Amino acid sequence: MTSSSDLTAPATAPGASRRALAQLFVATVTWIALGLAAGLFYREFTKAQGFPNGVSGQLALVHTHLLALGALVTLIVLALEKLFMLSASRLFRWFFWIYNAGVLLTGAMMTWHGILDVQKAEASKAISGIAGAGHILIGAGFVLLLITLWKGIRRSS
């Protein structure tokens, strides 16, 4: 059986924080690129399909979701890592991968649903279910982040 101290034991490599900072920076840059690409895709795809200008749909929201949930959150976590060395907890890796998978899954389902909206095609209920799974992963990631942050704050006090 694993005790709670095993789950939050300090990372063994001295460069763990540096690697975490680099990983978070790459994730931030990736989310910014994906968010900007989503905005460009929305604009060009809706123009090409004759979608009415100014009409908002799922596809219009992908751009802001990827920038806010992807880029801004990872940028904030990067600053928190620098302050509290969150990567000292093994939960940090779980947070990173679960959270980013959730944002990616949610963004992909929003894009798929948005494309179907623009084409006036019927969307499957499976899209909503998979998007819901993405939201659950995001929520789980936030819980892991808060636990990791709390432990980092206590460690630094």
Side-chain angles (χ1 to χ4, degrees):
M1 185 162 154
T2 305
S3 71
S4 65
S5 63
D6 292 338
L7 293 175
T8 58
T12 55
S17 183
R18 191 172 328 129
R19 280 192 303 276
L21 290 170
Q23 186 179 37
L24 287 163
F25 179 77
V26 169
T28 301
V29 171
T30 301
W31 286 122
I32 289 171
L34 288 173
L36 294 176
L40 178 64
F41 176 74
Y42 164 72
R43 187 74 186 129
E44 295 305 315
F45 184 71
T46 54
K47 263 197 315 191
Q49 297 291 317
F51 199 67
N53 198 11
V55 175
S56 183
Q58 280 279 336
L59 200 54
L61 304 174
V62 178
H63 166 73
T64 51
H65 272 71
L66 294 182
L67 289 176
L69 289 175
L72 288 178
V73 169
T74 53
L75 196 57
I76 291 166
V77 173
L78 189 146
L80 291 171
E81 166 63 21
K82 188 70 175 164
L83 286 173
F84 299 109
M85 206 165 129
L86 303 178
S87 61
S89 169
R90 291 183 189 176
L91 292 177
F92 178 78
R93 287 181 55 91
W94 283 96
F95 150 73
F96 182 84
W97 292 110
I98 288 173
Y99 180 81
N100 282 291
V103 174
L104 183 61
L105 188 57
T106 300
M109 292 301 103
M110 287 177 72
T111 302
W112 186 5
H113 191 264
I115 289 170
L116 293 175
D117 281 347
V118 170
Q119 294 177 334
K120 296 177 176 66
E122 182 80 24
S124 166
K125 292 185 196 257
I127 295 172
S128 296
I130 297 169
H135 282 82
I136 290 168
L137 290 174
I138 291 170
F142 274 128
V143 169
L144 290 169
L145 174 62
L146 291 174
I147 293 168
T148 303
L149 179 59
W150 176 246
K151 292 190 180 295
I153 291 169
R154 286 185 31 213
R155 199 173 37 253
S156 70
S157 299

